[in-house]
Amino acid sequence: MADLLIRNANLPDGRTGQDVLVQAGRIAAVGPALCVPEAIPLLEADGWLLSPPFVDAHFHMDATLSYGLPRVNTSGTLLEGIALWGELKPLLTEEAIAERALAYCDWAVAKGLLAIRSHVDVCDERLLAVRALLDVKRRVAPYLDLQLVAFPQDGVLRAPGAQANLIRALDLGVDVVGGIPHFERTMADGAESVRWLCELAAERGLRVDMHCDESDDPLSRHVETLAFHTLRLGLQGRVTGSHLTSMHSMDNYYVSKLIPLVAEAGLHVVANPLINITLQGRHDSYPKRRGMTRVPELMAAGVNVAFGHDCVMDPWYSLGSADMLEVASMGLHVGQLTGQAQMQSCYEAVTSNAARVLGLAGYGLAPGCRADLVLLQARSTVEAIRLRPARLAVLRGGKLLASCPAQHTRLDLPGRPGLVDFGAATAH
Ligand code: FE2
């Protein structure tokens, strides 16, 4: 029995005038002018862009929407953000974390963001945030895939009890092993933390996602160690290096050896352009480094690169709205990814590439995939990045989760009345 026919959509791969048939919550067929014998519910796409939902490969849901608690970050710097998080942590309650996380998930759904990998701080004896986000994960499961990473914010070797707490978090059901090697006390401790965490993940059959080399120090090279242990333990395709900002500042000859190693190890890479462009390069005078990892070169080498939002209205970042198109736009600009294929890659960095990082099953528009879809008021992926348009419909398993009418602004200019939608003149 058919659930829904979506008529006349443009698709992210450039196909136009496509119908999508949804049956039993999954995509049954995609093609022009599909013949459907029975009367089934119809969604007219009117040539707007129908896409698989946005996926955020890197987020911190335990801190989100805490802006102003207990005070705002007046300088906007990483150091004040860390100090502020230290002030906030003793005041946190499980209920308040869950409430803010649920509010963020509402924002996410409204923006067509239906899968999020969130790091959760495990450097807390009470594991408050872990318990809160595991509860949120269960509650949002009908409409949003929330994947949790056990993140030892203060260093798994450096922070007393962090190894035991991380294991407890995994035992409670956290999905992915996290780490932060550049924050350990020495390079040697950083390397040792990578070894210990990768072996733990291998023993338990889990994925790995480490905050790695989030620094402007060109000698912060833990990604090399991460790739080494990935290969040694046969974890190819299951390990992610997040941030990798030091790669921006590394010696070019060294990088010419490093990127092939990253590719050989099948590492996923996640850049967080909104946060990297604001927090990196803060010790520089002029010129100031951008700090984002080498996205175009990694993509050219065949590495799967995704973009994450990282923070929204928390101690480190006062802005953000769960809109992954804002993330894609910033990544495009910071990486100078303005080639036609590169702009398409930026869209993929917040959709299909990010889905590969999470290992999402049934993601996409092929027959058999889950009918998780977002209809955008744009004609193409590039236009979507340019306009960050209205999400006209957001569907999960073919069922409507959120909707809004198409946005048009009426102009009452002398002699030139009419509607402006910012898209009519584009060739995309
Ligand atoms: Fe992060």
Side-chain angles (χ1 to χ4, degrees):
M1 180 173 162
D3 296 329
L4 181 68
L5 179 68
I6 305 168
R7 180 112 68 197
N8 185 25
N10 288 2
L11 303 183
D13 63 7
R15 282 179 286 170
T16 60
Q18 300 292 303
D19 294 352
V20 175
L21 179 65
V22 175
Q23 285 182 320
R26 295 195 172 264
I27 292 171
V30 179
L34 291 180
C35 289
V36 182
E38 53 194 308
I40 62 167
L42 191 67
L43 174 63
E44 281 293 352
D46 289 327
W48 297 124
L49 179 67
L50 184 71
S51 171
F54 297 107
V55 179
D56 186 354
H58 188 112
F59 195 61
H60 293 265
M61 204 173 276
D62 47 358
T64 197
L65 304 192
S66 64
Y67 177 77
L69 296 174
R71 60 183 177 83
V72 296
N73 181 338
T74 49
S75 66
T77 59
L78 173 61
L79 287 180
E80 188 174 345
I82 291 170
L84 194 47
W85 180 236
E87 291 169 38
L88 177 58
K89 267 211 262 192
L91 309 176
L92 292 173
T93 66
E94 202 172 315
E95 294 71 25
I97 294 169
E99 199 176 309
R100 287 195 287 267
L102 286 168
Y104 185 79
C105 290
D106 291 349
W107 290 16
V109 170
K111 294 287 188 185
L113 168 57
L114 297 187
I116 300 173
R117 173 179 278 185
S118 174
H119 296 253
V120 51
D121 191 354
V122 296
C123 291
D124 160 30
E125 277 301 317
R126 302 166 299 169
L127 293 181
L128 271 190
V130 169
R131 294 178 203 284
L133 291 192
L134 282 169
D135 179 44
V136 169
K137 176 181 168 159
R138 279 187 290 272
R139 289 163 73 177
V140 301
Y143 54 88
L144 187 146
D145 293 308
L146 177 58
Q147 191 178 77
L148 299 177
V149 184
F151 175 46
Q153 171 94 56
D154 302 326
V156 75
L157 300 182
R158 181 173 173 171
Q163 285 173 294
N165 288 340
L166 190 142
I167 289 171
R168 283 169 58 214
L170 297 177
D171 289 343
L172 286 170
V174 171
D175 309 277
V176 179
V177 176
I180 185 164
H182 60 278
F183 198 72
E184 302 292 351
R185 282 211 168 81
T186 64
M187 291 291 183
D189 275 3
E192 171 60 11
S193 78
V194 173
R195 182 196 64 78
W196 187 79
L197 291 161
C198 285
E199 289 183 358
L200 181 64
E203 275 165 29
R204 292 183 172 232
L206 298 176
R207 289 173 177 262
V208 176
D209 188 341
M210 291 198 197
H211 284 64
C212 196
D213 304 326
E214 189 180 2
S215 150
D216 294 319
D217 175 5
L219 297 179
S220 185
R221 297 176 170 184
H222 295 294
V223 62
E224 181 186 79
T225 309
L226 185 63
F228 169 76
H229 288 297
T230 299
L231 285 166
R232 181 176 70 84
L233 297 165
L235 295 173
Q236 293 95 323
R238 286 164 47 192
V239 178
T240 298
S242 279
H243 291 288
L244 307 186
T245 53
S246 74
M247 199 186 290
H248 187 95
S249 300
M250 284 174 184
D251 171 72
N252 288 331
Y253 186 86
Y254 175 71
V255 172
S256 75
K257 180 168 166 264
L258 176 63
I259 288 182
L261 175 65
V262 168
E264 184 188 344
L267 285 191
H268 304 277
V269 168
V270 179
N272 297 293
L274 291 165
I275 307 309
N276 297 155
I277 197 64
T278 49
L279 293 184
Q280 303 310 127
R282 287 286 185 142
H283 292 190
D284 295 354
S285 55
Y286 285 95
K288 286 182 189 287
R289 284 166 288 179
R290 296 175 187 219
M292 192 167 79
T293 196
R294 301 192 187 200
V295 171
E297 292 79 9
L298 286 160
M299 284 179 166
V303 176
N304 182 48
V305 181
F307 292 152
H309 207 319
D310 203 3
C311 302
V312 171
M313 298 188 73
D314 68 11
W316 297 275
Y317 189 61
S318 306
L319 306 167
S321 65
D323 189 347
M324 294 308 293
L325 288 171
E326 183 183 9
V327 175
S329 176
M330 182 59 74
L332 186 156
H333 286 84
V334 174
Q336 299 180 326
L337 290 153
T338 47
Q340 290 296 309
Q342 290 177 317
M343 290 194 284
Q344 176 73 11
S345 297
C346 289
Y347 190 85
E348 290 163 2
V350 294
T351 52
S352 53
N353 293 5
R356 286 172 64 195
V357 171
L358 271 68
L360 284 183
Y363 179 90
L365 289 177
C369 289
R370 206 160 63 175
D372 295 356
L373 300 161
V374 55
L375 184 65
L376 296 142
Q377 191 186 352
R379 301 296 180 195
S380 70
T381 55
V382 174
E383 191 170 284
I385 293 173
R386 181 171 68 82
L387 297 177
R388 289 179 240 154
R391 278 61 168 174
L392 302 173
V394 180
L395 301 129
R396 172 86 155 181
K399 293 199 167 49
L400 193 66
L401 294 180
S403 61
C404 82
Q407 311 285 304
H408 299 282
T409 300
R410 173 168 296 285
L411 289 182
D412 289 315
L413 300 176
R416 289 182 57 78
L419 297 175
V420 170
D421 65 11
F422 301 98
T426 62
H428 304 300

